[in-house]
Every structure is written in C-alpha cells, then in structure tokens.
Amino acid sequence: MGVPSVSMTLPPRTLGSSGPTVGSIGLGCMSFSAIYGGFDGVDPDEVIGRALDLGVTLLDTADIYGPKVSEEVVGRAIANRRDEVTVATKFGLTFKTVDGQMVRGVDGTPEYVRKSIDGSLGRLGLDHVDLYYLHRPDPDTPIEETVGAMAELVEAGKVRHLGLSEASVDTLRRAAAVHPIAALQSEYSLWSRDIEAEIIPTCRELGIGLVPYSPLGRGYLTGTIGSTDDLAQGDFRRNNPRFTDDALAANQAVVDTVTAVAKARGCTPGQVALAWVLAQGDDVVPIPGTKRTTYLEQNVAAAEVELTDDDFAALNRISVDIPRSDPSWINLSTPPQRA
C-alpha cells in the first residue's frame, strides 16, 4: 500500500447505538509515555497532527499512561484542532507505594471518579472529554455506583459518552442498566480472540461499540519482532510471557501466515492484521498505537486493504485458539503463557 494522501478521509463508524461517530481507525496514545521505552526523539505533535490530516479522529489516552504524560502530550497536540478530534481517556487504574514497593490497584469509587475527571481535563486542556472509560472494573465497588458517578459527569457537561474497558458480560449488563455505554475497549486481534464467544454478542445486543486495543498484537503481528533483542530497554513487553524468545519462536506460524497473505495482497503484515479486525463489523474501531509517522500512515492505509474469503479462512484457522496477551501490570491478573 502506498502512503495515504493528506486529503484521505477514513470511512466513518459509529460506536454503538449512542456513541460518537469517528474515523474507522483511531490512534492509541499509550506510546507517548515510558511504557514502550519512551518517545525521545519523536515529535508527538507531528504524529498526532498527521493522524488528524489522514482522517483519524479518535485519540485514545489514559491518566495512567506515564502516568499523566500521555494526556499532557495529547492536550498540547490538539490545542488548535479540538473540533477535529474525539478525545477518549480512561481512569481507575492506580499505583501506590506500600512498604517501598509500587502496588497496582483499581479505584472505581464515586469520589475517585470525580477527582479523576478534573485531573484529566486539566492535563488535556479541555472543558469536556468525548468518551470517558473506566479502565478496569473495581471489584470492591459495585459497577452501579461507578457508572452512576460517571453519569453525573455527563449531566455536568464534563463528559459526552461513557465507556468500559475489559468488562465481563455481567458488568456490561449492569452498567448499561444505569446509563448507556457507548463503547467497550478490550484487547482484540488475530492474537487475542477470546471476547468473540460472549463479550462481542453482548455488546451488540446492548448497542455498545467495540474499540479493540493492541489490534497488532502489541506489534508482534507486524513481523518486526523476532526476539526480545528487538525491544527497547524499558519496553514493558520484555516482561510479557508472550514475548520471551521461546514464545516468539513457537508463535512464528501466526506471523508467517499473516506475512503470506500480505505478500499476496501487496501490503504489509500489520495492514493485514488491521484489515482483519476492521472486517469484524462496522461497530468496531481499532486503536493501533504508534509513535512513528511511517507506521501511522501504514495503519491508516489498512482501511483500503481488501481480504479474500481464502485470506480470512487462513487467518482464522491459525489464530482461533490463541489466548490473550494482556500483561499483568494492566490486566491485574497473570496472563496465560502459551507455547
């Protein structure tokens, strides 16, 4: 695929029955923090500006990315282009120092909801965010209380739409009974398909859009990661069981299949992986993250990739039994290891 032109407009998609209409591919902004080894030497204004030029309208960040750094970066980048952007951010994940060690946790209390939005608005330089997610459900706070407090933010004009991330079927139903939920953000890709059995059908039943994060398998599906040596020092994937050298070698068949399809279609492996996600429904808006303009342009051009029935058959056959790769620091549980 060639480099998309500045005038390119991504086809629009609406998140669920009540959510915003956005370009079919968004931009995940976790890369603008230290999580993937930092972004020294990268101009976030240039990357985000190019995304907007290409028709990307959904920018996704969170208060925990940095922490706080990503929201500040996004806020500066869109300061003069607010009307072009649907801004999504998240709250709820926390880190506290206990006996000299950092301990992760979740806080979905109404008090924390109110505190978090004001902090995010200040860092983003906005008077409202378009989509506000609970980053993970709080097991110690009924979801009705959390979503009830989030709904108050809608009434106050600080938030336009509500979302959840990594929520169960029961949590989705209980949350939607309190206030319309526009979107569920969850890991979904050729590398992580476990939400297909119950979560996606429930979202469609309830009119909730799907925003897949890590649609490129945290970069693995691009075919550029052959060993841990390919990851920068400080990159959190070095501690992910699915990025050990043994796991990468064992999973090579997945990348080989994606690469073969890409060669047949005249595009990149990453574009094949994104095209597969886009084909899962018009209510699906993936948010691949990148800090490089070159990769951003490749991702956007994936909207033009057309896969054949044979392509889908090959991709589905190789990927259907692969469990998710969500790392323990963000999923709050030990991820499954696979060989």
Side-chain angles (χ1 to χ4, degrees):
M1 301 295 294
V3 175
S5 67
V6 171
S7 60
M8 177 179 178
T9 299
L10 284 168
R13 291 188 171 187
T14 300
L15 291 174
S17 59
S18 66
T21 297
V22 297
S24 58
I25 297 174
L27 175 63
C29 296
M30 188 169 72
S31 296
F32 302 119
S33 68
I35 295 171
Y36 284 103
F39 57 101
D40 288 344
V42 173
D43 183 354
D45 290 359
E46 177 184 351
V47 177
I48 293 174
R50 179 62 171 154
L52 301 186
D53 292 341
L54 294 175
V56 174
T57 62
L58 178 61
L59 301 182
D60 182 89
T61 183
D63 59 5
I64 200 66
Y65 299 160
K68 304 178 182 179
V69 173
S70 178
E71 287 185 325
E72 294 170 349
V73 166
V74 170
R76 288 194 297 269
I78 66 170
N80 298 318
R81 304 184 69 171
R82 175 65 176 101
D83 293 343
E84 302 175 51
V85 185
T86 296
V87 177
T89 192
K90 300 179 284 295
F91 79 97
L93 286 182
T94 63
F95 285 102
K96 299 179 181 179
T97 302
V98 178
D99 296 329
Q101 295 185 337
M102 293 296 290
V103 178
R104 58 182 178 262
V106 180
D107 192 337
T109 60
E111 294 78 13
Y112 194 72
V113 172
R114 302 181 190 106
K115 173 184 176 182
S116 296
I117 187 61
D118 289 337
S120 289
L121 289 175
R123 288 184 290 274
L124 289 162
L126 304 177
D127 61 3
H128 73 276
V129 295
D130 302 293
L131 179 56
Y132 199 43
Y133 290 99
L134 172 63
H135 212 150
R136 294 292 186 272
D138 181 352
D140 297 322
T141 303
I143 192 64
E144 291 84 356
E145 293 184 14
T146 304
V147 174
M150 294 170 70
E152 293 175 3
L153 303 181
V154 177
E155 296 174 3
K158 295 182 178 183
V159 171
R160 293 290 185 265
H161 303 279
L162 303 185
L164 301 177
S165 182
E166 294 292 357
S168 67
V169 167
D170 178 65
T171 298
L172 286 170
R173 293 190 183 281
R174 290 165 56 196
V178 175
H179 188 278
I181 303 299
L184 172 72
Q185 187 172 138
S186 190
E187 182 174 7
Y188 186 46
S189 71
L190 281 167
W191 218 22
S192 298
R193 297 181 60 181
D194 56 300
I195 66 171
E196 290 180 342
E198 297 182 353
I199 298 294
I200 291 180
T202 300
C203 284
R204 288 174 174 159
E205 174 192 340
L206 298 173
I208 299 173
L210 180 64
V211 178
Y213 70 81
S214 298
L216 298 177
R218 306 187 185 281
Y220 183 63
L221 295 173
T222 65
T224 60
I225 304 172
S227 74
T228 54
D229 290 337
D230 295 324
L231 304 174
Q233 294 295 328
D235 190 315
F236 81 95
R237 289 172 293 183
R238 284 178 169 266
N239 296 318
N240 189 309
R242 292 179 70 176
F243 282 88
T244 65
D245 286 343
D246 288 346
L248 291 172
N251 298 334
Q252 187 60 40
V254 180
V255 173
D256 290 344
T257 299
V258 174
T259 301
V261 172
K263 184 177 181 180
R265 298 295 140 243
C267 63
T268 69
Q271 288 171 334
V272 168
L274 278 175
W276 181 89
V277 173
L278 287 167
Q280 303 311 305
D282 291 337
D283 54 352
V284 178
V285 178
I287 49 170
T290 183
K291 52 192 172 187
R292 308 289 181 187
T293 301
T294 300
Y295 296 148
L296 167 71
E297 292 172 344
Q298 291 178 5
N299 292 343
V300 171
E304 300 177 339
V305 174
E306 296 185 7
L307 302 177
T308 68
D309 289 344
D310 287 344
D311 294 336
F312 282 114
L315 294 169
N316 290 336
R317 185 166 54 249
I318 198 66
S319 66
V320 69
D321 293 327
I322 303 175
R324 68 167 56 238
S325 64
D326 203 24
S328 59
W329 78 269
I330 197 168
N331 194 47
L332 305 176
S333 62
T334 301
Q337 299 190 33
R338 61 183 296 270

